[in-house]
């Protein structure tokens, strides 16, 4: 008999799955998640339990309404009793009277005190909220307006009424700061210099200490992981009803993308991470910002190396895991084998008694995809993912690239706060201002909240993928932070070697036998560049290595050709093309430019290039052996060894060793080879022949003549 899952029962009863799950657990049923199943008798018990709770909640309400509690109010109303005790009241009034007298000299206020004792502190609280604004010489009009909590046009208008015209970006007149601030009921504290801003951490997201009342529900961030060609991108295509695979060379995703879909009125953010093993770093970055990992495993292929990598990333990030067993429509699909293989790597699905949900899907037909989305939504409801949308935005740069007509762009997922258009921000040593924001469909956005993916334009340069994105007060602070961080990075970098050190290094390189393939690497996106660097670094051969002289995002320029000419490097481009001038300069200088659109083709060909530069291996092959049985002295020919070929073949002119009692006596060349007084080119095993060693006559009976050759074998 088929069981009814908890989330299906919740949908039938039109209540939250969490309530049904809690009710089932209270009744002692063995359920773990909202995907757990219930028998018919268990369903009846849960319905009865939930039905019993409902009236219990509604019954006390009429009791509260019918209870004669409003009647006691008239009893406290006769406040003559309070008047009967006017004598104790004057004492607190007397204590409160000196306070207003200190602040406000007029005496009539004590008369108002008996009725407005509670109103006066509220007024004083408002004044306290305004506080003192810290200002400094050199700040702009817009910065001054922000400091005193006013709009820039209001401050400009206040300056005009005082005979001073100044734009938003011009310096605020120091002599008018106090007067203008007081016109808005603000007191200013003039500092000697601008307050120093600390350099914010960019290595990892900080811990947020938000009050519970400030937290609101946010969409879960879901990362899709798995082995190459197991259907990850096709699954996302089905989910968001858009084709991405057709735009990707070779059908393999090259960039991280972020998309949002809606399920039951609630949003889910998906991160599409590529499946090729070269993008391990990008997948790890996806796990850093994700809440739920969907592990896609092909039902006809099972657990593969990159499947195991994805499991390790999910475990390291400590996130929820959902297994999507894809390609159920393919002949040979065996979901039980997939579930069994997963147990070997610590992933035990619910069907085998574990707590990891698994859903059987077909990305091509769409079968089971709705169930997968429901499971993700249920996990999100149970985990109650929340964030504070009030502060300035902070998030993670998922991908960055240089796009023609748009300049540097970056996809950011907001972790906390709200990003608004025109906000100033910084990510690592790169500053910017949100000139335009778009979602994955290209629609313009005015703001983006927690878990929202957004493509941002307005960067000063391409930021590093994976860096922390932070909104700051103004452009000046963003530029200062970026400059400070860039300086800190430069100081950490190793100092350039002196001319003597460079010469010493060159001499050591010339002395070494190691072959070096130098590469200038250009890519279309920072994530691709980072992944290619790591993959190329893994390509090693004995006596050979790859050295990336320069790597950057963007097209192949004339400067790249010049650098390649100086360093003797090969230019390799991934999803980029050389400019016209660069192509002509490369042809004139004889510089090789290689361009690729599929990453594994690039890696394979670079590996072949490295192998091609290596010296071939030399292998010795024994051709044959002959035993010396008689010696003949021949004038002008020296000693001829009458021999019997015991193995292989003896070739004239081949290399030969003379071996006596297992020891090599001589290593030379066969000078002449005869068979029955006739010169022979070769003599095969089982035949007799006469052999002379070129330039050597000390041969004795019983010696072994071993004939061999050295063959060159290309490196692999």
């Amino acid at each position: 008999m088929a069981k009814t899952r908890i989330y299906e029962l919740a949908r039938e009863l039109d209540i939250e799955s969490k309530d049904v799950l809690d009710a089932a657990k209270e009744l002692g049923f063995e359920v773990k998640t909202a995907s757990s199943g219930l028998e018919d008798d268990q369903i009846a018990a849960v319905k009865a339990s939930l039905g019993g709770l409902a009236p219990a909640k509604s019954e006390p309400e009429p009791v509260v309404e019918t209870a004669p509690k409003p009647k006691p109010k008239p009893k406290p109303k006769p406040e003559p009793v309070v008047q009967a005790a006017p004598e104790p009241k004057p004492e607190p009034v007397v204590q409160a009277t000196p306070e207003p007298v200190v602040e406000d000299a007029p005496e009539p206020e004590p008369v108002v005190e008996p009725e407005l004792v509670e109103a006066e502190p509220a007024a004083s609280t408002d004044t306290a909220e305004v506080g003192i604004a810290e200002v400094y010489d050199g700040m702009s009009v817009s910065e001054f307006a922000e400091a005193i909590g006013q709009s820039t046009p209001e401050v400009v208008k206040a300056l005009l009424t005082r005979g001073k015209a100044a734009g938003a970006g011009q310096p605020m007149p120091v002599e008018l700061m106090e007067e203008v601030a007081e016109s808005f009921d603000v007191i200013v504290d003039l500092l000697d210099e601008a307050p120093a801003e600390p350099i914010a951490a960019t290595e990892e997201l900080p811990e947020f200490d938000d009050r519970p009342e400030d937290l609101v529900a946010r969409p879960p961030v879901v990362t899709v992981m798995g082995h190459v060609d197991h259907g990850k991108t096709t699954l996302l295509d089905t989910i968001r009803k858009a084709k991405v695979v057709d735009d990707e060379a070779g059908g393999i995703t090259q960039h991280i993308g972020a998309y949002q879909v809606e399920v039951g009125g609630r949003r889910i953010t998906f991160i599409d991470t590529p499946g090729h093993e070269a993008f391990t770093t990008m997948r790890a970055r996806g796990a850093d910002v994700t809440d739920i990992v969907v592990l896609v495993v092909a039902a006809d292929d099972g657990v593969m190396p990159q499947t195991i990598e994805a499991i390790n990333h999910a475990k390291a990030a400590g996130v929820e895991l959902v297994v999507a067993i894809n390609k159920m429509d393919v002949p040979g699909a065996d979901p039980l084998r997939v579930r069994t293989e997963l147990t070997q790597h610590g992933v035990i699905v619910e069907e085998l008694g574990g707590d990891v949900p698994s859903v059987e899907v077909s990305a091509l037909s769409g079968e089971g995809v709705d169930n997968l989305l429901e499971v993700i939504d249920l996990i999100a409801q149970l985990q109650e993912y929340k964030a504070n949308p009030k502060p300035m935005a902070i998030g993670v740069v998922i991908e960055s690239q240089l796009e023609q007509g748009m300049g540097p762009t970056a996809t950011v997922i907001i972790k906390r706060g709200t990003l608004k258009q025109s906000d100033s921000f910084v990510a690592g040593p790169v500053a910017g201002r949100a000139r335009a924001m778009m979602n994955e469909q290209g629609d313009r956005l005015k703001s983006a909240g927690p878990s929202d993916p957004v493509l941002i334009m307005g960067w000063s340069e391409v930021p590093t993928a994976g860096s922390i994105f932070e909104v700051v007060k103004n452009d000046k602070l963003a530029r200062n932070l970026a400059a400070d961080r860039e300086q800190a990075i430069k100081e950490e970098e190793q100092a350039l070697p002196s001319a003597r050190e460079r010469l010493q290094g060159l001499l050591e390189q010339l002395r070494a036998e190691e072959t070096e393939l130098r590469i200038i690497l250009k890519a279309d996106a920072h994530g691709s560049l980072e992944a290619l660097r790591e993959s190329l670094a893994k390509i090693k051969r004995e006596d050979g290595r790859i050295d990336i002289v320069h790597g950057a995002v963007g097209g192949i320029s004339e400067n790249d050709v010049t650098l390649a000419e100086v360093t003797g490097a090969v230019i390799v481009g991934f999803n980029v093309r050389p400019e016209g001038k660069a192509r002509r300069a490369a042809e004139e200088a004889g510089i090789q430019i290689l361009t690729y659109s599929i990453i594994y083709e690039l890696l394979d060909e670079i590996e072949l290039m490295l192998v091609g530069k290596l010296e071939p291996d030399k292998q010795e092959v024994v051709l044959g052996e002959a035993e010396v049985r008689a010696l003949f002295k021949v004038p002008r020919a020296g000693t001829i060894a009458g021999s019997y070929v015991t193995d292989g073949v003896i070739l004239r002119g081949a290399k030969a060793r003379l071996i006596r009692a297992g020891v090599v006596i001589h290593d030379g060349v066969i000078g002449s080879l005869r068979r029955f007084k006739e010169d022979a080119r070769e003599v095969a095993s089982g035949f007799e022949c006469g052999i002379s060693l070129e330039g050597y006559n000390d041969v004795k009976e019983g010696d072994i003549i071993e004939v061999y050759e050295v063959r060159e074998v290309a490196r692999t």
Side-chain angles (χ1 to χ4, degrees):
M1 182 181 295
K3 293 184 179 181
T4 302
R5 295 183 184 269
I6 285 179
Y7 67 83
E8 294 173 343
L9 179 60
R11 190 164 46 190
E12 177 187 338
L13 299 176
D14 195 22
I15 60 177
E16 293 291 337
S17 302
K18 186 178 180 182
D19 296 335
V20 179
L21 182 62
D22 292 341
K25 287 181 178 179
E26 289 176 3
L27 292 171
F29 299 149
E30 293 183 0
V31 291
K32 296 181 179 179
T33 66
S35 299
S36 301
L38 295 174
E39 303 286 354
D40 291 342
D41 55 343
Q42 293 175 328
I43 293 172
V46 170
K47 286 183 177 179
S49 173
L50 293 172
L53 291 174
K57 292 180 181 176
S58 57
E59 283 176 6
E61 293 178 356
V63 174
V64 174
E65 293 175 3
T66 54
K69 286 184 180 177
K71 292 182 179 179
K73 292 183 180 177
K75 293 181 180 179
K77 278 182 186 175
E79 295 179 357
V81 179
V82 179
Q83 292 176 358
E87 299 175 4
K89 279 191 177 179
E91 293 178 6
V93 171
V94 173
Q95 292 175 354
T97 304
E99 294 180 3
V101 170
V102 174
E103 293 178 1
D104 303 312
E107 296 178 6
E109 290 188 22
V111 181
V112 187
E113 279 179 6
E115 295 180 0
L116 301 177
V117 170
E118 297 179 356
E120 284 190 357
S124 62
T125 305
D126 292 340
T127 309
E129 285 180 0
V130 174
I132 299 175
E134 293 183 343
V135 297
Y136 55 91
D137 186 9
M139 69 190 312
S140 65
V141 173
S142 60
E143 291 172 343
F144 177 82
E146 186 178 359
I148 65 173
Q150 298 296 323
S151 65
T152 303
E154 290 294 331
V155 175
V156 171
K157 189 187 299 183
L159 289 173
L160 287 174
T161 58
R162 289 163 176 77
K164 187 70 175 180
Q170 293 179 321
M172 179 70 185
V174 181
E175 65 276 8
L176 293 177
M177 284 185 175
E178 187 174 352
E179 183 179 345
V180 171
E182 287 180 354
S183 67
F184 295 106
D185 297 327
V186 178
I187 301 172
V188 295
D189 180 15
L190 185 60
L191 304 177
D192 295 334
E193 57 183 7
E197 292 284 349
I199 300 177
T202 57
E203 295 299 324
E204 57 184 15
L205 285 170
E207 293 290 334
F208 303 130
D209 187 16
D210 294 315
R211 297 181 302 175
E213 57 268 25
D214 293 334
L215 299 176
V216 298
R218 64 170 178 83
V221 180
V222 181
T223 300
V224 180
M225 294 184 179
H227 193 72
V228 64
D229 199 33
H230 275 201
K232 299 176 301 300
T233 306
T234 307
L235 177 61
L236 278 169
D237 289 341
T238 305
I239 291 173
R240 65 180 186 270
K241 307 299 182 185
K243 291 295 178 185
V244 171
V245 174
D246 296 342
D247 297 333
E248 298 286 357
I252 295 179
T253 311
Q254 308 290 350
H255 304 293
I256 287 181
Y259 318 91
Q260 274 194 337
V261 299
E262 192 168 301
V263 179
R266 290 179 288 269
R267 292 176 299 154
I268 299 175
T269 301
F270 281 93
I271 296 178
D272 177 18
T273 57
H276 192 273
E277 64 178 359
F279 286 84
T280 299
T281 308
M282 299 170 74
R283 284 208 306 271
R285 185 181 310 134
D288 287 339
V289 298
T290 195
D291 301 309
I292 302 171
V293 166
V294 174
L295 180 66
V296 179
V297 188
D300 62 336
D301 203 7
V303 175
M304 301 298 286
Q306 290 164 358
T307 313
I308 300 171
E309 290 179 13
I311 292 172
N312 293 335
H313 285 308
K315 288 182 178 179
V319 297
E320 297 292 323
L321 186 65
V322 178
V323 177
I325 304 177
N326 192 23
K327 301 188 179 183
M328 288 298 299
D329 54 340
V330 175
D334 189 354
L336 179 59
R337 179 172 70 94
V338 172
R339 293 184 172 103
T340 305
E341 290 178 353
L342 287 172
T343 60
Q344 301 173 9
H345 304 283
V347 178
I348 304 174
V349 298
E350 291 177 344
E351 288 78 359
L352 299 181
D355 55 359
V356 177
S358 66
V359 184
E360 298 175 4
V361 300
S362 170
L364 286 177
S365 66
E367 182 182 355
V369 173
D370 290 339
N371 292 338
L372 175 63
L373 294 176
E374 286 184 358
V375 170
I376 294 172
D377 185 40
L378 289 170
I379 292 175
Q381 293 180 45
L382 293 173
Q383 294 296 326
E384 297 182 341
Y385 299 116
K386 294 183 178 182
N388 185 359
K390 296 180 180 179
M392 293 187 291
I394 183 170
V396 179
V397 178
I398 296 298
E399 183 56 288
S400 58
Q401 54 194 349
L402 187 64
E403 294 190 14
Q404 189 173 2
M406 298 176 66
T409 63
T411 302
V412 174
I413 287 195
I414 307 300
K415 294 292 291 182
R416 177 178 181 256
T418 301
L419 172 67
K420 304 181 183 67
Q421 190 170 347
S422 300
D423 276 352
S424 302
F425 54 77
V426 62
V430 181
R433 186 183 182 92
R435 186 158 46 90
M437 302 188 302
M438 290 173 284
N439 61 13
E440 70 277 5
Q441 298 173 345
D443 300 328
R444 291 293 182 102
L445 302 175
K446 295 293 184 182
S447 63
S451 296
D452 285 345
V454 57
L455 179 70
I456 303 174
M457 297 170 54
W459 300 81
S460 60
E461 57 184 275
V462 179
T464 302
S467 57
I468 304 304
F469 168 89
E470 299 169 275
V471 172
V472 295
K473 292 181 181 179
N474 49 55
D475 291 343
K476 182 178 179 181
L477 177 57
R479 289 192 298 269
N480 290 342
L481 281 172
D484 290 343
R485 291 173 181 173
E486 187 172 9
Q487 182 63 30
I489 292 172
K490 287 181 179 179
E491 290 175 358
E492 290 177 3
E493 290 178 352
Q494 194 172 11
L496 291 174
S498 64
R500 183 182 182 85
E501 290 170 337
R502 287 199 300 270
L503 178 59
Q504 183 67 25
L506 178 59
L507 292 174
E508 291 177 358
Q509 181 180 342
L510 293 174
R511 293 191 199 105
E513 296 180 358
E514 186 177 84
T515 300
E516 185 178 66
L517 175 61
R518 295 178 178 175
I519 290 177
I520 293 175
L521 185 60
K522 300 300 289 289
D524 60 336
H526 192 279
S528 303
L529 178 68
E530 184 181 354
L532 284 169
R533 278 182 180 275
E534 292 198 5
S535 298
L536 290 172
K538 296 176 182 177
I539 299 177
K540 293 182 180 179
R541 289 292 182 273
E542 186 179 356
D543 300 334
R545 68 185 183 89
I546 293 175
D547 179 24
I548 299 178
V549 177
H550 172 65
V553 174
I556 299 170
S557 66
E558 198 171 358
N559 290 336
D560 297 326
V561 176
T562 304
L563 181 59
E565 188 175 4
V566 173
T567 59
V570 177
I571 300 176
V572 177
F574 180 69
N575 276 342
V576 295
R577 302 293 300 172
E579 301 170 358
K581 290 183 179 180
R583 186 182 292 106
R584 288 190 293 271
E587 290 174 357
E588 293 174 1
I591 301 299
Q592 192 175 10
I593 298 180
L594 305 173
T595 56
Y596 304 89
S597 59
I598 301 177
I599 190 168
Y600 54 75
E601 289 183 359
L602 184 154
L603 298 177
D604 290 344
E605 292 197 19
I606 294 300
E607 187 171 3
L608 289 175
M609 287 181 63
L610 175 62
V611 170
K613 288 177 69 69
L614 299 178
E615 289 290 331
D617 286 330
K618 294 182 179 181
Q619 294 183 359
E620 182 183 291
V621 179
V622 176
L623 301 177
E625 288 184 356
E627 181 184 350
V628 179
R629 294 186 174 179
L631 298 174
F632 305 95
K633 300 289 184 178
V634 178
R636 297 189 303 275
T639 302
I640 301 296
S643 307
Y644 177 79
V645 182
T646 57
D647 187 30
V649 64
I650 307 299
L651 295 177
R652 185 175 60 197
K655 293 185 176 182
R657 297 187 184 95
L658 183 64
I659 302 172
R660 185 175 299 157
V663 179
V664 177
I665 303 301
H666 173 72
D667 194 340
V669 177
I670 292 180
S672 66
L673 180 64
R674 292 195 168 210
R675 174 138 172 87
F676 301 119
K677 298 184 181 181
E678 297 293 333
D679 288 336
R681 191 177 65 85
E682 64 180 45
V683 178
S685 174
F687 292 94
E688 294 179 344
C689 61
I691 303 173
S692 70
L693 297 176
E694 192 174 282
Y696 190 80
N697 294 318
D698 187 16
V699 183
K700 295 182 179 180
E701 292 182 8
D703 289 349
I704 300 297
I705 298 175
E706 182 183 73
V707 180
Y708 68 96
E709 69 177 4
V710 177
R711 297 174 182 173
E712 291 187 348
V713 180
R715 297 285 188 94
T716 58

